[in-house]
Amino acid sequence: AQSVTQLDSQVPVFEEAPVELRCNYSSSVSVYLFWYVQYPNQGLQLLLKYLSGSTLVKGINGFEAEFNKSQTSFHLRKPSVHISDTAEYFCAVSDLNDYKLSFGAGTTVTVRA
Amino acid sequence: EAQVTQNPRYLITVTGKKLTVTCSQNMNHEYMSWYRQDPGLGLRQIYYSMNVEVTDKGDVPEGYKVSRKEKRNFPLILESPSPNQTSLYFCASSTRTGGEGDTQYFGPGTRLTVL
């Protein structure tokens, strides 16, 4: 069974500043890793995913994440945020033979002008 | 347009009154799932279905039922809702391609309040 810990529940950030959202997971097997975004009053949308290969994954809207197997982490970054990035972000993990996603508790990002 | 739809989007009901939340996808996906989202807990899986007539429990199945009679539809049934089922519910679907980390596509959510 997997578990996901998002280390920050709230991240306030100024517009055009960088942001990093931290995600750690625990699993006894190899995993796939995902970041989803939920804009206010909307469903979840995939930002990016790590399946295999390069540990640096680029996603939509200028986001990227780095898989670190030794630290079991999958932190999400964006070098310069916009007001429109205000949303809740979820890290999720599934193992290689399972379609079940285990989600973290979420990180709310609030971008201020 | 590829999408997952849910109805209703908002529902206020009373304890014990049976309700059904519908979910439909137009992507011919085999896998469908229901989640509930609660503050500080993220999303937790209620039930999932690998294909027609194949369903199984997720992490929090108590108080819920599902059925999968057609590939596109996966309704969530609350036979006797209770206030602790007040939550935001999401339906999701994905393909099955042998464990390739398929993306799950989410519906817009159903906000349920049980009084």
Side-chain angles (χ1 to χ4, degrees):
Chain A
Q2 313 97 327
S3 68
V4 181
T5 302
Q6 291 184 240
L7 296 161
D8 308 289
S9 60
Q10 309 254 4
V11 174
V13 59
F14 286 106
E15 194 173 21
E16 297 183 9
V19 70
E20 178 179 79
L21 309 184
R22 297 178 292 168
C23 173
N24 286 91
Y25 69 93
S26 65
S27 176
S28 57
V29 298
S30 296
V31 296
Y32 298 127
L33 294 155
F34 304 81
W35 275 99
Y36 281 85
V37 60
Q38 184 181 27
Y39 297 107
N41 299 314
Q42 294 187 28
L44 278 74
Q45 178 183 357
L46 181 70
L47 267 180
L48 49 79
K49 62 183 177 182
Y50 172 79
L51 305 182
S52 64
S54 172
T55 57
L56 183 64
V57 180
K58 293 192 183 297
I60 61 172
N61 300 340
F63 284 92
E64 63 181 30
E66 185 151 23
F67 170 56
N68 187 318
K69 188 174 183 179
S70 63
Q71 297 188 8
T72 61
S73 68
F74 191 53
H75 300 334
L76 180 72
R77 302 184 185 95
K78 185 169 182 177
S80 175
V81 296
H82 303 290
I83 298 288
S84 59
D85 292 321
T86 294
E88 190 160 18
Y89 293 80
F90 292 95
C91 183
V93 61
S94 70
D95 73 38
L96 269 61
N97 297 309
D98 194 350
Y99 291 85
K100 175 185 172 181
L101 279 177
S102 296
F103 284 86
T107 298
T108 299
V109 173
T110 304
V111 182
R112 302 170 184 169
Chain B
E1 179 190 354
Q3 61 182 350
V4 179
T5 57
Q6 295 178 226
N7 282 293
R9 292 291 310 280
Y10 302 91
L11 179 60
I12 301 174
T13 189
V14 295
T15 299
K17 185 176 181 182
K18 182 179 178 179
L19 65 92
T20 299
V21 183
T22 63
C23 172
S24 183
Q25 50 93 4
N26 63 2
M27 295 169 279
N28 202 36
H29 286 167
E30 288 88 356
Y31 181 89
M32 297 185 74
S33 180
W34 276 103
Y35 297 87
R36 60 177 289 173
Q37 182 183 5
D38 301 291
L41 297 177
L43 279 78
R44 294 177 292 168
Q45 190 179 52
I46 303 170
Y47 268 94
Y48 65 95
S49 169
M50 300 294 273
N51 214 324
V52 175
E53 301 292 4
V54 181
T55 63
D56 208 347
K57 297 177 180 179
D59 296 320
V60 288
E62 293 77 20
Y64 304 95
K65 285 176 57 177
V66 293
S67 69
R68 188 89 182 273
K69 292 183 169 48
E70 304 167 280
K71 198 172 186 179
R72 63 184 292 124
N73 296 323
F74 190 46
L76 179 69
I77 303 154
L78 285 72
E79 299 236 329
S80 184
S82 63
N84 65 10
Q85 293 178 298
T86 292
S87 187
L88 180 58
Y89 291 86
F90 288 101
C91 181
S93 72
S94 69
T95 61
R96 292 180 64 192
T97 57
E100 290 295 323
D102 298 298
T103 302
Q104 289 200 24
Y105 294 85
F106 285 80
T110 295
R111 187 167 292 282
L112 172 65
T113 302
V114 184
L115 302 174

